[in-house]
Amino acid sequence: MGQPQKNIAAEQQILSLGRVLQSLREEDDVDVLIQIIISYLQEQFDYKLVWIALYDRLNHILFGKGGIIPHKDTSFLHQKFVISPGDLLEQIVIEQHPLGVADLRAETRAAEWRKIAEKFQIQGTIIIPIRYKDRCLGLLLLGSERWGYLLTGEAKARLMMVLGELGAVLYQHEVQLQQKQAKRTDEPLLELLENLRNLSKLNQKLEAAVQATHKFVSPNRTNIYWFEREGRYFWCRMSNQLVKIDPNSSTQPAAGMTVQELSDFYYALSVNQIVAIGDARSSLKSHFTAKLLQRLKVRSLLAAPIIWQKNLLGFLAVESNEPRIWTETDKNFVQGAAGLISLIAPHENSENTIQKIQEDAQLNSQIVQCIYSEYELQDTLQNCAKKVLTRFAATRFLLLQYDSEQNNYQFIYQSQPHNRRPLKFALDSLKELDEKLLQNSNEAIEIENLDEDLRFFNWRALLLENGMRSLLICKCLQGQIPPAILIIAHENHRCWTTQEKELFWAISQQIGVIIRQWQLHNRNQHQQKISQAFERTLQTLTKSYNSKIDPQKKDLECTALEQIATILGCPLAVLFSWSSGEHWAEIIPGVTANSQFGIFAGASISTGNEALIQWALETESYLTLKVEDLPPETRKWLNTPDKGQIFIMALRTNTEHETTGVVLLADTQERRWSEPSLNTIANLITQLGWWRRQKQINQLLESTTEELRQLNWYKHRRLEEIQRITALSLSQIRDLGIPANELAQMRYQLLLRQLDHTATSMSGLLKLEQWQLHKSWETMPIASLLKRSLERIDNLLKQQKLWIGVHGLGQPIEDGESPKSCLLPRGVPNSNTQSAMAIAGDIMKIELVIHELLVNACNRSLIGGRIDIWCRRLTDHQPTQTKKNPSQLGLDSAVKVGANNVTSLELSITHNGVIEAELLTDLHENPLKDVLASSNLKQPPGLHLIICQNLMQELGGELNFYQLPDNRVVSRLLLPLAGNDS
């Protein structure tokens, strides 16, 4: 029977809850709604203390609306409670969460409610906010005589439903009330606009704006602060309190405030941002908000900027001595009033503005005239600087240009007052962020306070040290690194208007045109300087070819080094020179213009061990490096400062030519060598290398030619004398008569014919080949030629105990017959087929070549060794083992090797002797790659062999040298065979 009673009680609670919710939805009167809630709480909940209050967010106040108290006097429940910071009730309205107190009598943050709890013995208390959409509309306080603050889940759910419905109803009532009581900004602003139109003076208009704003917002004070750019401070130009107030009064507006004091506030106004500081809310950072309120001596502030053409003229401020939450209506009206002020403010100085515009246009025109005038650069910049400093009221005019060699900015022009010294330093290159800032900017960069601004940080210390506090900076030319920068500076903190910044930008671009013209002029002069250096160097080199100069003197190298050093302005230029095969370099000094740079006396520089020389030889072009990177061995003989730089380049002419010199230039590290200058230096050094090579070749050829002329003259005169004596001897022999003995007579006749033939051949040699070779055309059987050649080396064969064999002389005319071999240690036997093996050409010279080859084979053979001579007929369809370019053969028109219907004789001389591999390589790669390099072909036997090789090419034959796999050395001679009609 107990269970049905419990169900009946639950149903009654639900029905009671439904009736209350229905009443809350249908009732419009707030007081009646609250009484319904109180009755419901009294009926359903056992609490001795019930209090309902509504929350005023604007004034941060709770208004009591009644409740239940263990006393007949309920006036306490209808009182107004001002919420104090740290109060228990403040925690509820801010956090908007229910809060339980176990014993209200012991709660120190309850204030008045603690006294009530002690009086009526209230312990356990629950405080629940009445909220809707995150907005606190009031609160409910429930107190019990029991200790603790527990509330059952079912009761808590019913209570939250009732309070939620009450919050929704109260929110609707608040919205409707706000709509009824909302201030309309359009009518007051239109009225203010009409008043401003009827007033003439600016101060009257400002006064009207202040009065209208003060009337609409109702703060404690309404002020207009004006901004002075010269000193960067604000001063109170107009206030609603027109009477003078005691300076110590807290109600007096702030007189003068610097931007430094109001930094965050100032920058917010500069970007057209309204500043609102109210109860526990601020549009600025918290630490600066307290500082600003303390400076203005207020607790709430609403400020709107007065801006004209992006320039901050001042701000309109409404100030309150109490914490206040500014509504959107208040913000809109203050912002609108400030906008109206910004429209009327420029008209105060309209005449001055028009005059300034005219003066700016005139200034622009004058600067343009300066650009196209015939003044020098300094005179042009002086005229521009004077006008710019006057117009902008600045103290310094600085024009900087980037120096790529020094990697810094140099002052190319500066102007300052007479009592200020010009700047004597250079500014470091910009940091990456500052470079990008200048590259991307299309207007002047303004630095109002250099002490606080972090832009151009690496310049700041030097500029501040020289009394500069504010700057206007513009790039004059485009570039990855701004080539030119224009700066005007002031000794005080100040800012410039947008119009002034636009004018300064235009002026900087015009000055950029001046700098561009000046750069082109300097570049032209630099090119002329390079051209003159080229011309002087080439003239020097040309004179060296046309004049007899002692090769031991180094005047020409020194002159060339001076011209090279002139282009870079280097204080040290030297040449390390050596000849082929030498291991120590000669030091040729060119320029030693500074005592800090030079080569220590007695220095010995090894071409194979010195690092600088080896680095230069390994580099195709030039190489630049720092002195600090040099090894200690180099620093022992090279005298340069630690902060220096080195340029080295080898005198390289061709990859196949030997390098015989390295140029070294030295300078301070602060100077940066430009790429065009280095390329010019490289070209001049290359020209110097070619000149030195050609000079050495000429000297070598001249000395060789002189020696050959002397040798030829001497041998020719000796041959003339031998020929004369031989002819005289023959004449005397003939005068003596023929011997009577028949055998002696026969031998006498033979010797006489040989002497006569020798004298006749010598006469032809003296007549036809005095200063050049003469080619004759003869035929001779190869057997006879070999027999004569072997007879000439008979003594050498006997000395070396050599065995010689001749093979192939019995070869028939028709190809295909098996060749026969013939071994002739003493001579060559005759044969019927030998007459077919006849060669055609200059027999005497061919015989000398064969003789040279046989002598070379004998000298290289071991004692008791063997020499083989192989003869083989070749026709045009039999390819030779080694082919030459036909254009190199120099053949006569009658005989060409490899021509159609022409046969040749291959004569190969083989032996088991030793030959140098380098000599074979040089003979195969003839002609020489480098005439100045040491070679096996410059002295016998290589010299004799290369002469024979070249001679055979001229005679229509071919001579090659190679080594067989079995290590036999082969001298292969190709000779033209005589035809049937020869």
Side-chain angles (χ1 to χ4, degrees), residues 28 62 96 98 116 276 412 442 665 710 728 745 785 871 937:
D28 293 331
L62 288 171
Q96 299 185 27
I116 296 296
I412 59 176
N442 292 321
L665 305 175
Q710 294 174 1
L728 181 61
Q745 182 179 1
L785 185 61
C871 300
L937 304 182

Side-chain angles (χ1 to χ4, degrees), residues 335-375:
Q335 194 169 16
L340 292 177
I341 296 172
S342 67
L343 294 176
I344 63 174
H347 297 287
E348 179 189 21
N349 299 320
S350 57
E351 295 182 358
N352 293 337
T353 304
I354 295 173
Q355 184 178 358
K356 279 188 177 181
I357 293 175
Q358 293 175 348
E359 291 176 354
D360 292 347
Q362 185 178 4
L363 175 61
N364 245 331
S365 175
Q366 290 174 350
I367 292 178
V368 172
Q369 291 176 2
C370 291
I371 293 175
Y372 294 100
S373 64
E374 296 182 357
Y375 297 137

Side-chain angles (χ1 to χ4, degrees), residues 703-714 771:
S703 61
T704 304
T705 302
E706 186 66 24
E707 292 176 358
L708 292 177
R709 285 174 178 172
Q710 294 174 1
L711 179 62
N712 185 65
W713 173 83
Y714 167 72
W771 292 107

Side-chain angles (χ1 to χ4, degrees), residues 284-307:
L284 301 177
K285 296 179 181 179
S286 58
H287 70 280
F288 184 78
T289 298
K291 180 181 177 182
L292 176 62
L293 294 179
Q294 182 180 2
R295 179 66 182 83
L296 296 175
K297 302 176 183 178
V298 296
R299 296 191 65 184
S300 299
L301 173 67
L302 182 61
I306 302 172
I307 292 181

Side-chain angles (χ1 to χ4, degrees), residues 824-835:
L824 299 175
R826 291 290 181 177
V828 180
N830 294 326
S831 169
N832 295 331
T833 60
Q834 293 172 5
S835 59

Side-chain angles (χ1 to χ4, degrees), residues 438-701:
L438 275 176
Q439 290 172 14
N440 300 329
S441 66
N442 292 321
E443 59 181 10
I445 298 175
E446 180 184 21
I447 297 181
E448 301 178 12
N449 186 354
L450 191 58
D451 298 286
E452 299 178 351
D453 205 310
L454 297 180
R455 292 174 294 178
F456 302 94
F457 186 79
N458 56 334
W459 292 0
R460 191 171 69 168
L462 289 173
L463 298 179
L464 288 174
E465 184 180 345
N466 287 271
M468 287 172 269
R469 295 293 180 269
S470 55
L471 307 172
L472 267 185
I473 304 176
C474 273
K475 62 179 178 183
C476 299
L477 296 170
Q478 296 289 342
Q480 184 175 4
I481 299 177
I485 299 175
L486 179 62
I487 301 176
I488 59 172
H490 202 281
E491 294 180 345
N492 299 321
H493 300 153
R494 64 157 298 173
C495 59
W496 285 270
T497 64
T498 303
Q499 180 183 356
E500 289 174 329
K501 288 187 283 187
E502 291 175 353
L503 175 62
F504 186 66
W505 172 263
I507 292 174
S508 69
Q509 302 310 298
Q510 293 170 357
I511 292 180
V513 177
I514 301 176
I515 298 175
R516 176 65 68 186
Q517 291 178 343
W518 180 64
Q519 288 178 342
L520 292 175
H521 176 70
N522 287 346
R523 189 176 303 170
N524 185 32
Q525 287 186 335
H526 183 66
Q527 293 297 332
Q528 290 181 355
K529 179 180 178 181
I530 293 175
S531 177
Q532 291 173 359
F534 262 110
E535 184 179 355
R536 287 193 296 266
T537 304
L538 294 177
Q539 287 178 353
T540 302
L541 300 182
T542 303
K543 291 179 180 178
S544 68
Y545 291 109
N546 300 329
S547 59
K548 290 291 184 178
I549 299 178
D550 187 355
Q552 300 300 324
K553 294 184 178 180
K554 306 300 179 181
D555 296 340
L556 293 174
E557 284 88 343
C558 295
T559 304
L561 290 174
E562 290 176 1
Q563 300 299 331
I564 292 172
T566 301
I567 297 177
L568 293 180
C570 293
L572 176 65
V574 295
L575 171 64
F576 302 117
S577 176
W578 64 90
S579 299
S580 178
E582 293 184 353
H583 301 291
W584 297 96
E586 178 187 2
I587 302 174
I588 302 176
V591 176
T592 53
N594 192 324
S595 59
Q596 293 182 340
F597 296 85
I599 307 297
F600 290 115
S604 299
I605 301 174
S606 171
T607 58
N609 298 326
E610 175 50 46
L612 281 179
I613 293 179
Q614 292 302 315
W615 292 344
L617 295 178
E618 294 172 0
T619 306
E620 292 184 3
S621 183
Y622 59 83
L623 179 66
T624 59
L625 60 154
K626 298 179 180 179
V627 172
E628 58 191 22
D629 297 331
L630 297 178
E633 292 75 11
T634 302
R635 298 297 302 274
K636 292 180 181 179
W637 58 265
L638 181 61
N639 180 27
T640 55
D642 294 334
K643 296 295 183 181
Q645 56 182 337
I646 301 295
F647 172 98
I648 53 175
M649 182 175 177
L651 297 180
R652 184 175 288 104
T653 54
N654 192 296
T655 54
E656 298 177 351
H657 298 164
E658 289 192 9
T659 303
T660 58
V662 171
V663 173
L664 180 144
L665 305 175
D667 201 350
T668 57
Q669 191 171 332
E670 288 74 16
R671 293 191 56 195
R672 293 187 60 187
W673 296 325
S674 63
E675 195 69 22
S677 299
L678 292 177
N679 293 334
T680 302
I681 294 299
N683 290 332
L684 288 178
I685 292 176
T686 302
Q687 293 297 326
L688 177 60
W690 277 107
W691 169 82
R692 280 171 52 84
R693 173 175 173 78
Q694 294 302 320
K695 193 68 176 175
Q696 292 173 357
I697 291 175
N698 289 347
Q699 292 173 356
L700 175 63
L701 295 179

Side-chain angles (χ1 to χ4, degrees), residues 738-754:
I738 301 175
N741 188 354
E742 183 179 357
L743 180 60
Q745 182 179 1
M746 184 181 300
R747 295 185 63 187
Y748 172 79
Q749 292 291 341
L750 180 62
L751 291 176
L752 188 61
R753 284 197 301 270
Q754 290 179 351

Side-chain angles (χ1 to χ4, degrees), residues 31 42 47 76 200 235 260 275 292 334 350 445 483 496 526 608 624 626 639 648 684 705 728 732 820 853 907 911 962:
D31 294 332
Q42 188 177 12
Y47 286 98
F76 178 78
S200 58
W235 60 281
Q260 190 171 2
V275 177
L292 176 62
V334 174
S350 57
I445 298 175
W496 285 270
H526 183 66
T624 59
K626 298 179 180 179
N639 180 27
I648 53 175
L684 288 178
T705 302
L728 181 61
Q732 293 175 353
K820 300 177 182 179
L853 296 178
L907 182 66
H911 61 87
Y962 53 91

